[in-house]
Amino acid sequence: VVSVIDMVKSAHVIVNCAGPYMLTEGEVLIDACIWCKTDYIDISNEIPWSMRTKELHRYALEAGVMVVPSCAGNAYSDLGVMMLAKKIREDYGEETRSAVCYCNGGGTAAGASGGTLRTRAAMASLDKASEFAQSDPFALGGFIPQMDRNGFKIVDVQPGTGFVTPKTRAEDQDLNMTKVTEDRKMGVWRAPSVSSFFDTRVVRRSNMLLADLGNQPYGLALNFMEYAMLPPEQIAAARRGAKDSDEPAKPIGHYGMSLEDEEAMLKSQGRQFKEGQGPQLEDMSDTWSGFFLYAESKNGSQVQCSFVGSDGYFETARVAVEAARTLRFDRSKLPFKGGVLTPSTAGSTCLLERLLES
């Protein structure tokens, strides 16, 4: 414990890359950061861990310490929604009603690090209580009920008690992201993405934090969804599958294949690494990842943006480093100065500018 405190005291920002976070007592490190007034960043993509860190929000807020989990390569969906909502508000003076992100990628698969494989194994072996808790689309906050002039429109009633709670809107349910469907408006076929459930919860938390800390959310009725954009060569099979089956589809990663197929391919190529090891920089030379976003206001105003970068590991390093530099050198320009935040609410446009410059 003394060594952790000494480390925290010696830094302006701590970047924690030691996952799987849900298997550690990482709150000890965050507590030390809050106590020593040192900002904290990690690269997690684990809903159970994010649910644990959000419980420290009040303490971080009171201490003026920035705690920013999930500063990883998929943070571009969170940053993209921020960009689109800002554009809609500035150009049209309207709130954002809906947004969607399509993930894509390609090139030579660099491999799966030992830490990634261990995290996947940990997520696959959750206890029932943790599974139930993370299944809530608003597990990280930001719940939006369906309402009309008479109040809550849809509720759940607990049998035998009469206890009533607002029910999640149909448009926000995870079920919407589990099948292969066509987005006729954008002209793309879409499938479940490996990071959909996590990223949607992060964006909903961003919307909540903007309301709580800045009194200006993206939208009071915001709906956000994320999918994998199907490669052209898979569309024909997707069309047939969408008609023949109502079963949930396997989530697709940035290489256009399911995690099972990806792991089998990497294993046959000897590209699965032990814990503490991972792909080398030269293995990522032709690998790319992309995030393509679209948003619409209540009145139908539409905007789009995209991010196209390198391999997911490379982009995770970029986001984490530039987020740390943003907290260290741009603090006076940031809208909020403490709390358990998201990449967009912590770094705002300063982080975007650094990412583009990098």
Side-chain angles (χ1 to χ4, degrees), residues 7 51 85 160 230 324 343:
M7 176 183 69
M51 292 175 66
L230 282 177

Side-chain angles (χ1 to χ4, degrees), residues 301-315:
S301 303
Q302 303 171 6
V303 291
Q304 299 179 38
C305 73
S306 64
F307 299 88
V308 178
S310 185
D311 176 88
Y313 290 115
F314 188 98
E315 292 305 321

